[in-house]
Amino acid sequence: MEQNTVKWREGGKSAPWKKDIPRKFMYLKPADIKPEGWLRRQLELQAQGLAGHLDLIWPDVRDSRWIGGDREGWERVPYWLDGFIPLAWLLEDRGLQKRAKRYIDAILSGQQEDGWICPCGMEEREHYDVWAAFLICKVLVVYQECSGEEGGHSVEEAVYRALKQLLNHISARTLFGWGAARWFECLIPLLWLRERRPEPWMDELAYVLEGCGIDYERLYARLSFDRPGAKRYWTYLNHVVNVAMALKSRAEMSLLTGEDPDAFALDFYEKLQKRHGMAIGHFTGDECLSGTSPLQGSECCGVVEAMYSYEELLSIGGNPFWGDLLEQTAFNGLAATVSADMWSHQYVQMTNQVECTRMPQGKMPFNSNNEEAHTFGLEPHFGCCTANFGQGWPKFALSTVMRTEKGLAVTVLAPVRVQTRVAGREVCLTVDTEYPFRDSLRIRVMPEEPLEFELSVRIPGFARAAQIRVGQETRDAVPGSFYMIKRCWEKEDVVVVELRFQEEFAERPSGMWALRRGPLFYAMPIEAEHERIEYERDGVERKFPYCDYAVRPKSDWAYGFGAGPVREVQAEMPGMPFDREKPPVMLETEMVPLDWKKEDGMCRERPESVEPLGAPVKKRLYPYGCTTLRMAEMPRVEAPKRV
């Protein structure tokens, strides 16, 4: 048993005990949600791709210490399971579920008598970063929520024992490293456990975590982490993944303290956008916060962790702004940094990305990432994103419809079918849509018998106008809000949502511009040539379909936006929702050729001149998420008049 064990009183004045503070929106059980349409197809591609095969091909998951092997025994198996488990249950795939259960059974059987759950010896504990303990407890919660009663008691008991042991451990040793940077992640399994079997020591653990961890609110009130001209630096304090996670830190604590769940997150996001914002509304970090240049990268882990923060912020505080950011980040940032077939990914994506090949030594623009970080492959630069990117789309699907105090809310716009209970009665709700590639939704509400409840629908803040039609009645809805419909729902009642978007240019700090329409940003696609690279390094084999790729441009890319009109062009939905060759929607406009140089595998940050090199040409721009090579941040140019 551990030494220096702290004895925590189970009651009395020693525990800062508070009643639960409810979330604005409550997640449904995963079994209640069935993705449909393009969203289901995206999950199927993920299951058929890299994230669905890591336990079969990648030593750090296949042979991990978590299941008795000799490979990495820290964050990679938990990261992978965090996406693989909800993927398996959303697709109702018994084969995937069986593979997930094998890992969960091994993790539960490996838990020590005193509750320690991570795969290390007693002598290793003092130097073991307990971030992995937070993460594996989150995973066990995900497994229990997905699998239902299957192994439920043993999972809950394992989380209980692990967290109680963690309180003794960190009280004697305090947090360090990633655990100190990500302390609030432990609140997720802790608050789940507290709802099921509340005991005063759980509040003690929450406040000990808070006391040991980095206080991002105070830190970023005093520091901006701007480092003009500085390169090759690395810190925990502005690491992009820590920052993406920290957006939700005070919201998680608000469930204990009652503080405003949005105040810190809104202020923090505004600061990130001002100093490190990307054209798509995400923020750079390669690997730490990196400024606003379109050549700086943003880590894939940061993308999916920002999405999870937005999901939690939306659930806890109910602010529709976080739903806007969640959609924007998923449809642009996540879709672009993972290949359309889901077999490869980047470590970092670049806004203006004209080539994805290994850069010359010392020529990369990144702060601490290496020369291959922006290439596509199995584990470019570092394997954390290989394990972690799989949580993005499954958790997005789990956030589409949530429960409210008086009904249901369509919180994220995507095609799903929900079967759940409202006021003790069975209700089926479907969202039929091809949004974000189209502008309307058809919501069917089908209670087993007439039932009165509230249905709230999130109206995206980037819409210019919106209308809601229920039966013969049509009303305007306010963008950036939830439109609430309270009525007695009859079987087969239908709600039609019509959204009106407008093409708009957003000015960037560089003096260049980005083009968007609704949730989608658009980029000029660059025709690409893909070279497969198969090899072995450090005992890890790369071979098709999980090989690496060198991606080179085959078409001109040096353009600026012209002065002509912008026209939307719709196409058929492709087999892969974010197909690089056949996107489901495009914008057509005039582009003007410019003198814009490329060297060391990159375009320069700005063109040499904005003087046109010729007459404007009509080009079709693709959604940012439907591009591999692209130009998304460009000057607006007054083109010469045609003769």
Side-chain angles (χ1 to χ4, degrees):
M1 298 290 287
E2 282 198 283
Q3 301 300 310
N4 301 320
T5 302
V6 179
K7 298 296 184 183
W8 297 93
R9 293 171 59 187
E10 295 300 319
K13 296 181 180 179
S14 63
W17 186 249
K18 293 180 180 290
K19 293 183 178 179
D20 289 340
I21 297 167
R23 291 170 178 256
K24 181 73 172 181
F25 300 126
M26 285 73 73
Y27 295 106
L28 298 176
K29 293 289 185 183
D32 293 349
I33 297 176
K34 303 290 184 293
E36 296 191 329
W38 72 259
L39 181 56
R40 180 175 180 86
R41 179 58 181 147
Q42 191 72 357
L43 295 178
E44 290 170 345
L45 287 167
Q46 182 168 318
Q48 295 159 11
L50 188 59
H53 287 81
L54 287 180
D55 59 323
L56 307 177
I57 65 172
W58 197 39
D60 279 354
V61 170
R62 185 190 63 207
D63 306 320
S64 171
R65 290 179 69 183
W66 285 101
I67 55 170
D70 59 1
R71 297 289 291 210
E72 203 249 23
W74 191 52
E75 69 177 4
R76 292 188 179 179
V77 158
Y79 262 158
W80 170 68
L81 287 171
D82 202 26
F84 187 79
I85 290 169
L87 178 71
W89 266 268
L90 284 166
L91 291 177
E92 301 177 283
D93 187 313
R94 293 297 299 167
L96 299 183
Q97 292 172 10
K98 183 177 179 181
R99 285 158 56 194
K101 188 175 187 303
R102 171 178 170 252
Y103 278 77
I104 296 299
D105 288 346
I107 291 162
L108 294 178
S109 66
Q111 188 171 25
Q112 299 300 302
E113 183 181 349
D114 66 348
W116 182 271
I117 198 167
C118 298
C120 73
M122 180 71 73
E123 71 284 356
E124 299 175 85
R125 290 189 186 183
E126 186 173 355
H127 303 291
Y128 188 93
D129 191 327
V130 294
W131 151 237
F134 306 167
L135 189 50
I136 202 63
C137 287
K138 279 178 60 182
V139 164
L140 291 173
V141 169
V142 169
Y143 180 77
Q144 174 56 27
E145 290 298 298
C146 286
S147 64
E149 294 305 312
E150 186 178 337
H153 179 72
S154 62
V155 170
E156 181 183 315
E157 185 64 22
V159 174
Y160 178 93
R161 293 172 58 219
L163 292 179
K164 196 164 189 182
Q165 194 280 338
L166 179 68
L167 175 56
N168 287 321
H169 180 80
I170 67 174
S171 296
R173 290 164 181 80
T174 72
L175 297 175
F176 61 88
W178 300 105
R182 301 173 179 180
W183 60 270
F184 43 84
E185 295 292 308
C186 193
L187 297 177
I188 294 161
L190 179 61
L191 291 169
W192 174 86
L193 184 67
R194 187 177 181 272
E195 287 182 5
R196 299 167 77 93
R197 52 190 295 187
E199 294 181 11
W201 68 263
M202 298 173 186
D203 287 43
E204 301 275 7
L205 176 54
Y207 290 114
V208 168
L209 288 164
E210 182 185 36
C212 290
I214 295 173
D215 185 339
Y216 290 92
E217 187 171 26
R218 287 192 176 185
L219 183 67
Y220 279 85
R222 293 165 172 79
L223 296 175
S224 65
F225 288 99
D226 289 339
R227 296 174 183 251
K231 294 291 179 185
R232 317 310 297 166
Y233 70 88
W234 191 100
T235 76
Y236 287 106
L237 303 178
N238 69 336
H239 186 280
V240 68
V241 184
N242 295 345
V243 165
M245 292 175 169
L247 280 161
K248 65 178 178 295
S249 58
R250 298 316 308 175
E252 301 294 346
M253 278 301 295
S254 77
L255 294 171
L256 286 172
T257 65
E259 67 194 84
D260 183 343
D262 271 357
F264 165 67
L266 290 170
D267 180 66
F268 196 18
Y269 179 76
E270 183 180 357
K271 289 175 179 175
L272 291 172
Q273 284 304 291
K274 181 178 179 180
R275 301 182 182 278
H276 307 286
M278 298 172 67
I280 59 172
H282 189 50
F283 37 89
T284 62
D286 54 29
E287 180 152 311
C288 296
L289 296 175
S290 304
T292 58
S293 168
L295 301 185
Q296 298 300 154
S298 192
E299 186 180 338
C300 179
C301 277
V303 172
V304 294
E305 293 296 352
M307 287 174 58
Y308 184 55
S309 285
Y310 302 149
E311 289 156 8
E312 281 288 276
L313 284 159
L314 178 61
S315 169
I316 293 169
N319 187 340
F321 173 74
W322 304 117
D324 291 355
L325 275 185
L326 172 57
E327 291 181 359
Q328 191 171 284
T329 307
F331 302 151
N332 299 283
L334 177 58
T337 204
V338 180
S339 62
D341 66 1
M342 306 285 277
W343 267 109
S344 65
H345 75 288
Q346 298 171 288
Y347 193 79
V348 293
Q349 64 180 290
M350 303 162 73
T351 299
N352 286 348
Q353 186 167 275
V354 299
E355 187 173 312
C356 292
T357 60
R358 189 179 182 91
M359 294 174 177
Q361 178 71 35
K363 297 293 186 179
M364 61 283 189
F366 311 133
N367 275 319
S368 59
N369 295 161
N370 69 16
E371 299 86 357
E372 68 177 28
H374 66 306
T375 63
F376 283 80
L378 173 64
E379 50 172 315
H381 182 67
F382 194 65
C384 59
C385 297
T386 306
N388 195 23
F389 82 82
Q391 71 163 299
W393 289 114
K395 290 187 178 180
F396 176 91
L398 292 175
S399 302
T400 50
V401 178
M402 299 189 193
R403 190 181 306 282
T404 67
E405 186 180 357
K406 298 180 180 180
L408 297 173
V410 178
T411 41
V412 179
L413 310 186
V416 293
R417 181 183 186 89
V418 165
Q419 188 78 41
T420 191
R421 296 183 73 82
V422 178
R425 307 292 176 84
E426 284 291 324
V427 174
C428 178
L429 180 147
T430 65
V431 182
D432 182 14
T433 185
E434 290 181 343
Y435 177 93
F437 311 111
R438 301 293 186 265
D439 301 346
S440 64
L441 302 87
R442 185 179 177 87
I443 303 169
R444 290 193 302 157
V445 184
M446 297 166 281
E448 62 179 350
E449 58 185 76
L451 181 65
E452 183 175 297
F453 65 90
E454 295 177 358
L455 175 66
S456 298
V457 181
R458 194 187 113 258
I459 308 300
F462 28 70
R464 286 292 165 265
Q467 287 190 326
I468 303 281
R469 186 170 73 251
V470 184
Q472 301 302 311
E473 184 179 7
T474 301
R475 291 187 178 180
D476 291 334
V478 178
S481 70
F482 278 92
Y483 186 91
M484 194 271 286
I485 307 164
K486 182 178 180 180
R487 61 178 288 160
C488 183
W489 298 94
E490 306 280 349
K491 195 169 186 178
E492 296 288 344
D493 272 351
V494 175
V495 178
V496 177
V497 183
E498 297 286 350
L499 302 170
R500 201 168 306 147
F501 298 118
Q502 181 178 324
E503 299 79 15
E504 57 185 344
F505 287 93
E507 188 171 11
R508 301 291 302 138
S510 61
M512 297 190 289
W513 300 78
L515 177 61
R516 72 177 298 171
R517 184 181 187 277
L520 299 179
F521 286 80
Y522 284 78
M524 193 179 70
I526 303 171
E527 189 179 349
E529 175 184 62
H530 290 71
E531 176 193 355
R532 294 179 187 171
I533 304 175
E534 299 183 312
Y535 63 102
E536 183 177 315
R537 184 170 68 197
D538 299 331
V540 180
E541 187 178 36
R542 281 87 163 164
K543 66 178 182 180
F544 182 79
Y546 51 94
C547 58
D548 291 354
Y549 292 89
V551 188
R552 299 182 177 88
K554 291 174 58 181
S555 62
D556 294 337
W557 53 266
Y559 290 88
F561 294 110
V566 180
R567 181 177 72 93
E568 185 186 41
V569 179
Q570 295 185 353
E572 291 184 4
M573 284 294 299
M576 296 184 293
F578 295 93
D579 196 299
R580 271 45 168 177
E581 304 294 331
K582 297 179 291 184
V585 64
M586 294 159 281
L587 293 181
E588 188 175 80
T589 191
E590 288 185 341
M591 305 296 292
V592 180
L594 298 175
D595 180 15
W596 203 335
K597 296 293 190 292
K598 170 177 171 284
E599 57 188 359
D600 300 324
M602 299 174 289
C603 65
R604 290 186 178 170
E605 188 167 329
R606 290 184 55 83
E608 275 55 36
S609 169
V610 292
E611 286 296 318
L613 294 183
V617 292
K618 197 165 284 187
K619 294 276 189 180
R620 286 190 172 179
L621 308 184
Y622 289 7
Y624 183 99
C626 294
T627 63
T628 299
L629 302 184
R630 62 181 165 267
M631 293 294 290
E633 193 169 314
M634 295 171 280
R636 296 180 74 178
V637 181
E638 190 66 42
K641 294 181 179 179
R642 290 187 177 90
V643 178

